[in-house]
Amino acid sequence: MLARARRVGRALEEAKKSERRFRDLTELSADWFWETDASNRITWISGGAPVATFFGGTPTYGMRFWEIPGVQVERRVLEALLERTGERLPFFDLEITRADERGARQVHIISGQCRKDPQGRFLGYRGVGRDVTEQRRAEGALAEAKERLELAVGSAALAEWDYDLEANAIYLGSEWAGLLGRRPIAGIMSALEVNELVHPDDRLAVRNELVAGFKAQKTICEVECRVRTEHGAWRWVQAKGQVTERNKAGRATRASGTVADIHERKRAQAALLETEQRYRALVELSPDGVMVTSDGLVEFANAAAARILGTTEPQALVGMNGEELMRCAQRELESASAKLSAGGRAVVLTLFRDVSESRSAARALVESEQRFRAVAEASGEYVWEADAAGRYGYLSERVEAVLGYSRAELLGRRAQEIMPLGEERAVQEWLAQHAPDGRPFRELVHRVITKSRGVIWQSVSAVPVRDAAGRFVGYRGTAADVTPRRQAEARIEQLATRDTLTGLPNRVLLADRGAQAVLQAARSRAQLAALLIDIDRFKLVNESLGHQAGDALLRALAERLESLLPADTLARLGGDDFVLLHAIRSVEEAAALAQRILAALARPFTVEGRTLNVSASIGISVYPGDARDFPELLRNADAAKSHAKESARGTWRMYEPALHARSVERLRLENELHSALARSEFVLHWQPVVRGRRLVVGAEALVRWQHPERGLLGPDDFVPLAEQCGLIRPIGEWLFERALSQAGAWQRAHPGRCWVAVNVSAPQLAQHGAYVEHVRSCLEANSLPASCLELEVTERVLMSSLEENVETLRRLGALGVRISIDDFGTGYSSLAYLRQLPIHKMKIDRSFLRSIDTQVADEAIVRAIATLAKTLAIAVAAEGIENEAQLSRVLALGCDEWQGHYFSAPLDGPDFDKLLQAESSTKALG
């Protein structure tokens, strides 16, 4: 028994040591461990630093993970977890997040399996957690790097391509379409279609290069060829690529690469060849002798050499000793020789001339050199030479003016030593691409640090320098400060792609980013939401506070939207329209985002010391469910936005296919409305205005549209559309002129019998003095007394530009025209302007009269308006009277005049004339 007890003791001691080792290991591990009871409440956590970092001092025992304060779990993920734990199933990689004491977002994942006792009873879960915060940050950084790479490829005028050999499909990036003169949209073509674009003379070279790559004879394939553009012209491109995938048999299944536009380079090469031929011709025609010798014997001489040396033909000099010929010449010669390498042989090029004939040319040369030096100094360029390692060996004096360094400070140093961090790598990549193996290059633009620690842009061009053996020994070239040019280019790009007011991407940049976002969503099989945000009643801010305040509000709106979603693309289309592009996992996420935006915009704005409250209407369209490309996505979001504004401002609406049909119908109606005036489709109807119970004292002119297909349309069917598309002014002018023409005819037929009322729109009133003159001339043209004309102005139109409109209405009142405030009580209802204007009448809106016989509040409002009008000696009229009960109440409350279907529906001209005649006859009989 004692021995057994000792063995048990030793086993217990070993178990304790093992437990301590396990705990020590878990303290050092990046993972941490946990257990829960059958109700998913935590009973044990071990893990050292990861646990302390994530949970801090927050209590955890006895709580479920998602109940711990500060811990966040996505709702859909939590629902899936509860479903699995309810079925006692294991779960993996549940992502939980929490902000640490510094506010930094920590991300952990946990996995767990069921715990059961020996009898199989469920005890809870046991699992492991891991800190994946850095992994998530790295994934985000990788995505940003990928986006920057795609932008860099696009800005470098390169087009990417990807060839799926098994599918016989070639994906071509959007820049490829740009090379062909097409709309820059990425697409997929078959190999045969791409081959048809290649010039017939270049197809064999392209095929051989592809075959070499497919057969692994080359790692990187490169070929130059001509392709046909959209307009039928041929353009030189350079294609590079390599095989990126092979099957088990070693056969190529995928290849990728880029296509660069080298058309200008090819043109430059052709020009260079032409220049070489021209120089050869110049050598032949040169008045100076040119002679090439090898081992002392003449191999070539031009005609001038034969003439100077006294022979008839240059060929006669070939094979003769060149030095002897020069020494025996009967003339005084001036010569210069240079050793060159031609085909691996050393040759001597000798130029000589008759000094007596060249003196005048020498003077001209001196003058030419002086001009060249003056031009070089004026151009701001400096000349430099560097060895193969890039160390300066020569610098002209101009370098001090450009860089601030003296020549002595730079000689022996490399240009890379005065470049900003990261610039050397960019320069090396540029040279590797544009000037490999010591080739000449032009306009390498990069940044350098001046002696005063400023940074400038300089443009460098150079040609290689080779020794007598033809070996590359360095470069010789020029450099100039092009900082103003780069700044101008950056400014031009800013103006071309950015909204000048808010700095946000404009419509051009939005189209580019939107196309890229749609392409990315298509590749990753994800969803992309476009939210079109329109600020409700923004025009009112401009009209009441001025455009400066409106601009300040737009900037504040942009800043708040950017702070809400800094990583997304936010653009301003113009006016008060903004567009937000956001990658989503579900339509519900887009709706939640719209609700967040509305909540953010609901907070007051402070603009120029004023507190403004705004709301917005948002239209949402989702790719790929609602659209096939970005233009369609944006168009559908706009349709949804219009639906939101029509249904209830300050809300959002998702796109529905029916909205497109509505937009098409609205566009068709707008086009028909534009031509309705020319086709004389508008007609006037007249609503009788009654005093007392039966006496017709006037009529309100109402416009109707006699649509050729829909029949007679009321103003509610087309006036709002006319206001939006700018037709309300010409329609209003037509109504005014026709109404006064008809009123003049009635005045002549029934003198003093009645007056007419005409509605005035905001664009008409905004003409101010011109509108007053138009009213005066129309009254005179129709021989109509001004007292027979009543102009109805709504409070909304009146307040759009109050001071100017008040002056305009005063001038109209001075003509004798009566002024009526229409729909009184539904707009601003400011009492101030009642004292300022020559107002003769207030028309109570029909919304207060519908229930006046049953609603005490409506009756009180009408009584208050009538009392106020009587006090100010202003007449009161009621519109929309439909029954006897309404009429009795308004008459009892003191209304002077009324109109509505209870007396008569609006009548056309002949019917209203009959009504006047009937009333005149009744008066005569009475």
Side-chain angles (χ1 to χ4, degrees):
M1 289 292 291
L2 183 58
R4 182 178 180 185
R6 289 175 178 173
R7 287 195 299 273
V8 171
R10 285 194 297 270
L12 289 174
E13 185 63 28
E14 289 297 324
K16 290 179 180 179
K17 291 180 178 180
S18 176
E19 182 181 0
R20 285 195 297 271
R21 285 194 298 271
F22 173 73
R23 290 186 179 275
D24 291 341
L25 288 173
T26 58
E27 293 294 328
L28 297 173
S29 173
D31 296 338
W32 48 277
F33 307 91
W34 55 270
E35 287 185 0
T36 66
D37 59 15
S39 298
N40 294 329
R41 292 185 173 86
I42 299 171
T43 59
W44 174 73
I45 288 184
S46 177
V51 173
T53 301
F54 188 70
F55 295 107
T58 304
T60 58
Y61 285 86
M63 305 180 73
R64 298 178 178 88
F65 279 108
W66 52 90
E67 295 175 349
I68 298 173
V71 173
Q72 297 180 353
V73 182
E74 189 175 341
R75 182 175 59 81
R76 293 192 300 118
V77 175
L78 180 59
E79 292 174 353
L81 172 68
L82 294 176
E83 184 178 345
R84 292 189 67 83
T85 56
E87 298 177 4
R88 306 291 191 262
L89 297 175
F91 62 89
F92 304 95
D93 296 339
L94 171 66
E95 185 172 295
I96 59 177
T97 61
R98 190 172 188 269
D100 60 16
E101 290 80 358
R102 299 170 301 170
R105 184 172 177 265
Q106 302 290 317
V107 183
H108 284 224
I109 57 174
I110 59 175
S111 302
Q113 292 185 335
C114 294
R115 292 191 302 118
K116 296 183 179 180
D117 62 10
Q119 288 74 36
R121 291 190 295 270
F122 175 68
L123 299 178
Y125 275 86
R126 175 185 294 119
V128 62
R130 170 165 292 181
D131 185 354
V132 295
T133 302
E134 293 304 323
Q135 177 183 342
R136 292 294 186 266
R137 290 174 181 168
E139 290 171 353
L142 180 61
E144 292 179 2
K146 182 178 179 182
E147 182 179 358
R148 288 195 298 271
L149 177 60
E150 291 177 350
L151 290 174
V153 169
S155 62
L158 294 176
E160 72 272 22
W161 58 268
D162 185 82
Y163 186 6
D164 187 343
L165 278 73
E166 294 181 341
N168 189 28
I170 301 178
Y171 164 78
L172 300 172
S174 59
E175 289 294 333
W176 172 261
L179 292 178
L180 299 182
R182 301 176 181 173
R183 194 157 56 100
I185 298 178
I188 296 177
M189 302 176 70
S190 67
L192 180 59
E193 290 173 325
V194 174
N195 188 59
E196 287 297 322
L197 294 175
V198 178
H199 195 284
D201 295 343
D202 299 334
R203 291 174 185 169
L204 180 60
V206 173
R207 180 181 180 278
N208 291 341
E209 197 71 10
L210 285 174
V211 170
F214 295 158
K215 292 184 176 181
Q217 297 172 354
K218 287 187 175 181
T219 303
I220 302 295
C221 298
E222 179 179 346
V223 66
E224 295 178 354
C225 62
R226 290 160 289 179
V227 295
R228 187 174 62 253
T229 67
E230 188 74 8
H231 305 294
W234 294 102
R235 194 166 191 85
W236 279 98
V237 297
Q238 181 187 56
K240 288 185 179 180
Q242 62 182 12
V243 174
T244 56
E245 291 181 11
R246 295 183 183 274
N247 59 20
K248 294 181 179 180
R251 293 177 61 86
T253 59
R254 184 176 293 275
S256 300
T258 60
V259 174
D261 186 353
I262 61 169
H263 192 71
E264 294 303 322
R265 192 189 80 189
K266 281 292 188 179
R267 290 179 59 184
Q269 289 175 348
L272 179 60
L273 178 60
E274 182 182 349
T275 301
E276 291 177 354
Q277 294 173 347
R278 189 182 301 117
Y279 282 136
R280 181 176 293 274
L282 290 174
V283 168
E284 292 293 339
L285 299 173
S286 173
D288 294 334
V290 179
M291 187 167 57
V292 178
T293 60
S294 177
D295 295 330
L297 301 180
V298 177
E299 291 187 351
F300 169 82
N302 67 350
R307 175 176 53 79
I308 293 172
L309 296 177
T311 61
T312 57
E313 294 292 336
Q315 195 65 26
L317 299 176
V318 175
M320 299 179 70
N321 188 292
E323 292 183 0
E324 186 68 21
L325 287 171
M326 296 282 290
R327 189 167 49 250
C328 297
Q330 298 299 315
R331 302 181 183 183
E332 184 180 355
L333 302 180
E334 183 182 78
S335 65
S337 298
K339 294 181 179 181
L340 303 174
S341 176
R345 297 181 306 110
V347 299
V348 178
L349 173 64
T350 303
L351 301 179
F352 55 94
R353 66 177 61 177
D354 187 342
V355 175
S356 59
E357 296 178 357
S358 63
R359 288 177 180 175
S360 60
R363 287 193 296 269
L365 180 61
V366 170
E367 294 175 0
S368 176
E369 182 180 354
Q370 291 174 345
R371 286 195 298 270
F372 172 77
R373 289 183 179 275
V375 170
E377 288 295 323
S379 67
E381 294 184 345
Y382 64 89
V383 181
W384 59 272
E385 288 185 6
D387 60 18
R391 292 184 292 267
Y392 286 125
Y394 168 79
L395 287 161
S396 66
E397 295 180 358
R398 183 65 183 173
V399 70
E400 185 170 353
V402 175
L403 300 180
Y405 296 98
S406 66
R407 290 186 291 175
E409 290 176 303
L410 292 177
L411 290 175
R413 298 177 64 183
R414 300 169 64 244
Q416 288 82 348
E417 296 178 27
I418 57 173
M419 291 182 184
L421 185 64
E423 195 73 9
E424 179 179 358
R425 180 178 178 182
V427 169
Q428 290 174 346
E429 291 176 353
W430 190 94
L431 290 173
Q433 180 179 357
H434 296 87
D437 304 324
R439 296 180 185 176
F441 61 87
R442 289 183 59 83
E443 294 193 358
L444 163 59
V445 180
H446 65 85
R447 295 175 298 162
V448 294
I449 302 174
T450 65
K451 188 174 183 179
S452 62
R453 310 310 297 169
V455 177
I456 67 170
W457 288 91
Q458 70 173 5
S459 176
V460 182
S461 301
V463 294
V465 178
R466 303 186 184 278
D467 60 13
R471 292 186 297 268
F472 174 77
V473 295
Y475 273 111
R476 178 184 297 119
T478 60
D481 182 1
V482 294
T483 303
R485 189 186 80 186
R486 290 288 296 189
Q487 291 173 342
E489 290 172 351
R491 178 59 177 165
I492 291 172
E493 182 180 1
Q494 173 79 9
L495 293 174
T497 61
R498 293 283 175 172
D499 175 51
T500 56
L501 178 63
T502 63
L504 296 176
N506 62 10
R507 186 182 293 271
V508 175
L509 186 54
L510 173 66
D512 179 66
R513 289 189 179 178
Q516 294 180 26
V518 167
L519 182 59
Q520 178 64 27
R523 288 177 176 172
S524 58
R525 299 179 181 273
Q527 296 185 81
L528 178 69
L531 287 78
L532 202 155
I533 307 164
D534 181 90
I535 308 306
D536 295 331
R537 304 183 70 186
F538 178 76
K539 183 180 178 182
L540 181 60
V541 176
N542 280 336
E543 293 174 345
S544 58
L545 303 180
H547 288 279
Q548 184 174 352
D551 291 346
L553 177 60
L554 287 175
R555 285 191 291 268
L557 286 164
E559 291 175 2
R560 186 171 294 183
L561 290 173
E562 276 192 303
S563 64
L564 182 65
L565 293 162
D568 291 334
T569 293
L570 175 68
R572 180 182 176 225
L573 289 183
D576 58 343
D577 286 339
F578 296 85
V579 173
L580 178 68
L581 299 181
H582 182 70
I584 60 172
R585 289 183 289 271
S586 65
V587 175
E588 290 76 13
E589 184 179 346
L593 175 60
Q595 199 61 44
R596 284 175 56 199
I597 294 173
L598 292 177
L601 298 183
R603 300 196 305 271
F605 290 85
T606 301
V607 175
E608 296 183 350
R610 297 182 176 91
T611 299
L612 300 180
N613 292 286
V614 301
S615 62
S617 299
I618 303 177
I620 308 172
S621 179
V622 178
Y623 173 87
D626 297 334
R628 294 165 296 179
D629 53 29
F630 180 69
E632 185 178 5
L633 186 70
L634 188 61
R635 185 170 60 249
N636 291 343
D638 184 61
K641 181 263 295 182
S642 298
H643 181 48
K645 293 183 76 68
E646 293 171 0
S647 55
R649 296 176 185 268
T651 186
W652 56 268
R653 289 291 185 269
M654 302 294 298
Y655 172 75
E656 299 174 0
L659 295 179
H660 178 67
R662 288 179 56 187
S663 298
V664 172
E665 178 62 21
R666 182 183 181 279
L667 180 60
R668 187 171 75 89
L669 188 63
E670 182 178 330
N671 291 333
E672 293 173 343
L673 189 61
H674 273 278
S675 56
L677 272 174
R679 294 198 298 261
S680 301
E681 292 177 358
F682 291 113
V683 296
L684 283 183
H685 280 200
W686 303 87
Q687 175 79 59
V689 178
V690 182
R691 183 175 294 145
R693 287 189 169 273
R694 302 298 303 174
L695 179 60
V696 177
V697 294
E700 180 181 359
L702 303 174
V703 66
R704 299 289 189 267
W705 182 6
Q706 189 64 53
H707 195 279
E709 297 177 1
R710 303 184 182 188
L712 192 65
L713 300 180
D716 292 341
D717 295 323
F718 63 90
V719 168
L721 181 60
E723 290 177 339
Q724 295 175 17
C725 62
L727 288 176
I728 193 63
R729 176 178 165 182
I731 293 176
E733 291 176 350
W734 175 89
L735 183 150
F736 181 78
E737 293 172 1
R738 290 294 300 272
L740 262 63
S741 175
Q742 180 65 71
W746 284 334
Q747 182 66 20
R748 291 187 291 273
H750 313 284
R753 181 65 185 83
C754 74
W755 46 262
V756 294
V758 181
N759 288 279
V760 182
S761 66
Q764 289 177 280
L765 199 59
Q767 298 175 79
H768 304 308
Y771 180 67
V772 175
E773 180 60 26
H774 181 63
V775 172
R776 187 194 61 77
S777 62
C778 285
L779 289 171
E780 291 181 358
N782 293 283
S783 302
L784 187 67
S787 59
C788 293
L789 174 62
E790 182 175 290
L791 296 179
E792 295 188 359
V793 184
T794 65
E795 291 176 290
R796 179 178 62 86
V797 170
L798 179 63
M799 298 298 292
S800 62
S801 184
L802 182 60
E803 292 183 5
E804 294 83 354
N805 291 341
V806 166
E807 179 60 27
T808 301
L809 293 181
R810 281 176 178 168
R811 293 178 62 183
L812 289 169
L815 296 177
V817 175
R818 297 189 300 171
I819 307 299
S820 172
I821 302 301
D822 198 10
D823 299 335
F824 185 80
T826 61
Y828 290 84
S829 298
S830 172
L831 303 181
Y833 70 80
L834 295 178
R835 294 184 292 104
Q836 300 176 28
L837 291 176
I839 299 174
H840 300 85
K841 183 189 299 181
M842 291 190 300
K843 294 185 68 174
I844 303 174
D845 187 71
R846 67 181 67 240
S847 61
F848 298 117
L849 304 175
R850 292 193 185 98
S851 305
I852 191 173
D853 54 335
T854 59
Q855 296 292 332
V856 177
D858 288 348
E859 181 177 344
I861 291 172
V862 173
R863 179 183 292 107
I865 294 174
T867 302
L868 173 65
K870 294 298 183 184
T871 303
L872 297 175
I874 298 175
V876 182
E879 56 181 346
I881 302 300
E882 306 294 335
N883 53 55
E884 174 61 31
Q886 294 175 346
L887 177 59
S888 298
R889 294 308 304 158
V890 298
L891 292 178
L893 292 173
C895 287
D896 302 291
E897 298 169 355
W898 60 277
Q899 61 189 77
H901 283 70
Y902 183 59
F903 180 82
S904 171
L907 305 172
D908 58 18
D911 288 342
F912 187 77
D913 187 59
K914 291 178 182 178
L915 176 64
L916 292 178
Q917 293 178 4
E919 290 216 353
S920 298
S921 301
T922 302
K923 279 188 176 182
L925 292 174

